[in-house]
Amino acid sequence: MSNREIRKILIANRGEIACRVIWTCKEMGIKTVAVHSEADREALHVRYADEAICIGPAPSAQSYLNIPSIISAAEITNVDAVHPGYGFLAESATFAKICEDCNIKFIGPRPEVIAMMGDKVEARRTMVAAGVPVLPGSPDAIESPEEAKRLALEIGFPIIVKASAGGGGRGMRIVRSADELESQLELAQSEALAAFKNGAVYIERYIERPRHIEIQVLADEHGNCIHLGERECSIQRRHQKLLEEAPSPVITPEQREKMGAIAVNACREIGYSNAGTFEFLLDEDGSFYFMEMNTRVQVEHPVTEMVTLADIVRNQIRIATGEDLQYSQDDLQIRGHSIECRINAEDPVKFTPSPGKITAFNIPGGPGVRVDTAVYPGYVVPPYYDSMIAKLIVHARTRELAINRMQRALDVMVVEGIKTTIPLHKKIMADKRFQAGDFSTKFMEEFEL
Ligand code: MV4
C-alpha cells in the first residue's frame, strides 16, 4: 500500500550523512535538495545534490537548526519530503510537526512519538507499560529529597540520577551512599535546569560495568515491524562512541531474538513508525534494561547494513511513502561481522577538535571495505560542526577477520593536514582485550592507564 509519492527530498543536514542519504535517493530515482550554511559552500553534499540552497551563516543555530529557513528552502524547491539525518533537527518534535503542518513529509516517526522519547521519564514509563525491562527506579520525576531517599533505600546503592530532558550521558550523577544523596540530587537538578531549561530528574539502580547494546528496528505505518539485530557500542569516550560493531561478540542468537522481540512488540504498542533504535544496558549476568530510544537513523547504521544487506535509508524513504515493509523477520539474517571506526578531526590524545585543510587524503579499498565520508583532498574542515570526517566500515566472515581487515584498512588510510583518531583506532584494534571481546563501557578509562 502506497499513498504518498516522494519525488524530491530535501536533506536537512550536512557531512557524510547528507551524502549517505543522497546516494540512496539517486538509486531510487528521487531528486535531492541540499541545504548548506555559508561555511559549507564547498561541501560535498552540495555538489552531490540536484539543487542546493544556502540557509544561513556558519553557526548551526542560524543555519542547520534554523527551522524557518529550512522550511522556506523546502517550499521554494517544492520538495515532497525532508530527511533530517542524525543530530541537528532529527529529534525535534517541533520541526517534525511544522513539516507536517506544511504538508511536507518528515522522514521519521510521528511528532508525538519523538516528543515522548525525548522526555526520558515518559519514555521509561511508556516502555514499562509496553513490557520492556527497565532498571529498578523512580516511576516519575523526583519530587523531594525524602522521596529520593526512600526510593534509593528500596533500590540499594549505588544509584544514578539522570536528567529527564537529558540523554546521551549529559546531566548524570552517580550516588554511592545515602549521605551524599541530597547534595547530588540538588546538583543534578540545577545542572539539568541550566542545561535543558528543565530540572526534572529520575533515579535508577546503577550498573557498574555495563555494555551498551542497541537494537535497530524498522516499522511501517501499518503496524508491521521487524528488528535488524543489535549493535555493540560499548567502546566510547566521554559519551562519544569511537567504534561500533555488529553483531555484539557476547549476544547469542537466543538473546538477540529475545531483545528483538521486546523491541518489536514495544514499537507496535506505541505506534512507532520508521527507523528507530532501542538502547539497552547489558549487565554482566546477561540481564538487559532499556535506556533510551533514538527516533532517527544513527551514525553507526552501516554496521547493521553490512550484516543484514538492508539499506536502512531506503527503508526509511519507502516507509515514509506509506508502503508496507518489504521483508518479514524470517527474511532477515545476520551474516558475518562488521566494524565501524569513526574518524574524527581531533587530537587522538587530548580529544580536542583539529579543524583545518586536508592536504592529503587516501581511502582504503578492497573487498568488504566501505568509507562513508564527505571530505576530499584540499577540503577545509570547518570549526563549527561535529568533528567526524569519515566512517571506515569493514565486513568479513568472522570478527577476527573483520579486525584484521580493519587493521589493513587503517594502515593505508591517510589524512594529512589535520589530526585524526586513526592512531587511536590502530591501538584499539591491536588491544588483546578488544580482540577477545572482553570489554564494557569502562574500556577507554582502563585503556588509557
Ligand atoms: C546508566 C549506566 C549505568 N547504570 N544507567 C550513559 C548514557 C546515557 N544514555 C545513560 N548512560 C548510562 N546509564 C544506569 N542505571 C551507565 C551509563 C553509561 C554509559 C552507557 C552507555 C555507554 C557508555 C556509558 C558510559 C558511562 C555511563
Side-chain angles (χ1 to χ4, degrees), residues 120 124 135-136 158-162 166-170 172 174 202-213 233-241 279-281 289-292 440-442 445:
K120 307 302 164 190
R124 198 172 181 279
L135 280 157
I159 58 133
I160 184 166
V161 186
K162 295 182 178 182
R170 296 172 308 159
M172 304 187 327
I174 301 156
Y202 62 106
I203 67 176
E204 273 182 358
R205 191 179 94 215
Y206 177 67
I207 306 186
E208 291 285 355
R209 305 175 68 79
R211 296 175 84 114
H212 174 150
I213 306 283
C233 306
S234 300
I235 310 287
Q236 51 79 45
R237 195 180 130 147
R238 297 184 198 154
H239 303 295
Q240 294 293 320
K241 292 168 187 155
E279 293 186 350
F280 292 104
L281 289 170
Y289 308 95
F290 174 79
M291 193 164 43
E292 290 173 21
S440 74
T441 56
K442 292 249 162 81
E445 288 167 41

Side-chain angles (χ1 to χ4, degrees), residues 64-275:
Y64 299 104
L65 292 171
N66 184 338
I67 295 177
S69 217
I70 293 168
I71 295 289
S72 301
E75 298 280 6
I76 289 165
T77 54
N78 199 25
V79 299
D80 305 299
V82 167
H83 195 298
Y86 54 72
F88 296 125
L89 297 169
E91 288 175 291
S92 165
T94 306
F95 179 58
K97 180 73 170 69
I98 292 171
C99 287
E100 196 175 83
D101 293 344
C102 295
N103 203 22
I104 302 161
K105 179 66 181 176
F106 176 85
I107 302 175
R110 292 178 290 118
E112 303 78 43
V113 174
I114 299 175
M116 186 230 288
M117 294 307 169
D119 180 329
K120 307 302 164 190
V121 167
E122 202 187 333
R124 198 172 181 279
R125 196 167 40 228
T126 305
M127 289 304 168
V128 173
V132 182
V134 302
L135 280 157
S138 49
D140 255 303
I142 298 290
E143 298 289 347
S144 67
E146 293 72 35
E147 186 197 0
K149 193 150 217 159
R150 186 176 52 73
L151 281 164
L153 291 172
E154 223 174 270
I155 298 161
F157 290 96
I159 58 133
I160 184 166
V161 186
K162 295 182 178 182
S164 183
R170 296 172 308 159
M172 304 187 327
R173 294 208 158 240
I174 301 156
V175 185
R176 298 198 175 274
S177 66
D179 53 293
E180 48 178 306
L181 180 60
E182 188 162 350
S183 61
Q184 291 290 64
L185 182 69
E186 258 177 48
L187 272 170
Q189 285 169 327
S190 59
E191 275 176 13
L193 194 60
F196 317 113
K197 300 189 190 91
N198 176 352
V201 300
Y202 62 106
I203 67 176
E204 273 182 358
R205 191 179 94 215
Y206 177 67
I207 306 186
E208 291 285 355
R209 305 175 68 79
R211 296 175 84 114
H212 174 150
I213 306 283
E214 56 187 34
I215 298 278
Q216 174 74 55
V217 295
L218 290 173
D220 67 24
E221 296 177 353
H222 315 287
N224 305 301
C225 184
I226 56 169
H227 72 86
L228 278 63
E230 82 286 2
R231 291 185 286 261
E232 164 73 65
C233 306
S234 300
I235 310 287
Q236 51 79 45
R237 195 180 130 147
R238 297 184 198 154
H239 303 295
Q240 294 293 320
K241 292 168 187 155
L242 291 170
L243 67 89
E244 307 89 2
E245 45 184 316
S248 165
V250 298
I251 299 290
T252 61
E254 294 72 36
Q255 181 89 319
R256 177 173 307 121
E257 220 173 290
K258 192 172 161 194
M259 294 176 89
I262 285 170
V264 163
N265 181 62
C267 283
R268 294 212 182 93
E269 291 279 323
I270 65 183
Y272 193 86
S273 62
N274 219 281

Side-chain angles (χ1 to χ4, degrees), residues 124-440:
R124 198 172 181 279
R125 196 167 40 228
T126 305
M127 289 304 168
V128 173
V132 182
V134 302
L135 280 157
S138 49
D140 255 303
I142 298 290
E143 298 289 347
S144 67
E146 293 72 35
E147 186 197 0
K149 193 150 217 159
R150 186 176 52 73
L151 281 164
L153 291 172
E154 223 174 270
I155 298 161
F157 290 96
I159 58 133
I160 184 166
V161 186
K162 295 182 178 182
S164 183
R170 296 172 308 159
M172 304 187 327
R173 294 208 158 240
I174 301 156
V175 185
R176 298 198 175 274
S177 66
D179 53 293
E180 48 178 306
L181 180 60
E182 188 162 350
S183 61
Q184 291 290 64
L185 182 69
E186 258 177 48
L187 272 170
Q189 285 169 327
S190 59
E191 275 176 13
L193 194 60
F196 317 113
K197 300 189 190 91
N198 176 352
V201 300
Y202 62 106
I203 67 176
E204 273 182 358
R205 191 179 94 215
Y206 177 67
I207 306 186
E208 291 285 355
R209 305 175 68 79
R211 296 175 84 114
H212 174 150
I213 306 283
E214 56 187 34
I215 298 278
Q216 174 74 55
V217 295
L218 290 173
D220 67 24
E221 296 177 353
H222 315 287
N224 305 301
C225 184
I226 56 169
H227 72 86
L228 278 63
E230 82 286 2
R231 291 185 286 261
E232 164 73 65
C233 306
S234 300
I235 310 287
Q236 51 79 45
R237 195 180 130 147
R238 297 184 198 154
H239 303 295
Q240 294 293 320
K241 292 168 187 155
L242 291 170
L243 67 89
E244 307 89 2
E245 45 184 316
S248 165
V250 298
I251 299 290
T252 61
E254 294 72 36
Q255 181 89 319
R256 177 173 307 121
E257 220 173 290
K258 192 172 161 194
M259 294 176 89
I262 285 170
V264 163
N265 181 62
C267 283
R268 294 212 182 93
E269 291 279 323
I270 65 183
Y272 193 86
S273 62
N274 219 281
T277 301
F278 286 75
E279 293 186 350
F280 292 104
L281 289 170
L282 181 73
D283 207 343
E284 280 157 301
D285 69 1
S287 322
F288 58 91
Y289 308 95
F290 174 79
M291 193 164 43
E292 290 173 21
M293 182 171 192
N294 301 316
T295 58
R296 56 168 196 274
V297 70
Q298 293 198 249
V299 175
E300 58 270 29
H301 77 277
V303 294
T304 299
E305 294 188 324
M306 302 304 265
V307 298
T308 60
L309 296 181
D311 177 334
I312 292 173
V313 175
R314 179 186 281 262
N315 275 278
Q316 287 191 288
I317 297 169
R318 286 186 82 261
I319 289 165
T321 66
E323 286 173 68
D324 286 323
L325 278 181
Q326 66 194 134
Y327 19 71
S328 65
Q329 196 66 55
D330 293 338
D331 300 327
L332 250 141
Q333 282 187 47
I334 309 295
R335 285 177 186 273
H337 197 95
S338 181
I339 305 174
E340 169 181 280
C341 287
R342 297 187 184 194
I343 314 293
N344 289 0
E346 278 171 8
D347 182 311
V349 179
K350 293 182 273 182
F351 273 69
T352 49
S354 177
K357 187 172 183 140
I358 295 177
T359 53
F361 190 65
N362 184 59
I363 59 172
V369 178
R370 166 176 169 184
V371 181
D372 282 17
T373 187
V375 310
Y376 51 84
Y379 178 73
V380 180
V381 179
Y384 307 102
Y385 315 109
D386 189 272
S387 65
M388 195 179 70
I389 56 161
K391 303 189 302 205
L392 175 52
I393 305 127
V394 299
H395 183 226
R397 207 164 44 74
T398 66
R399 184 167 188 269
E400 197 180 350
L401 290 168
I403 292 171
N404 184 295
R405 186 161 275 172
M406 181 63 84
Q407 289 178 306
R408 305 291 79 77
L410 287 165
D411 281 342
V412 304
M413 178 117 187
V414 175
V415 184
E416 277 171 19
I418 58 170
K419 289 179 179 162
T420 76
T421 47
I422 292 171
L424 179 65
H425 286 301
K426 287 180 180 170
K427 282 189 211 157
I428 297 171
M429 289 301 133
D431 183 82
K432 287 284 168 284
R433 279 191 54 206
F434 175 75
Q435 290 178 359
D438 169 26
F439 50 79
S440 74

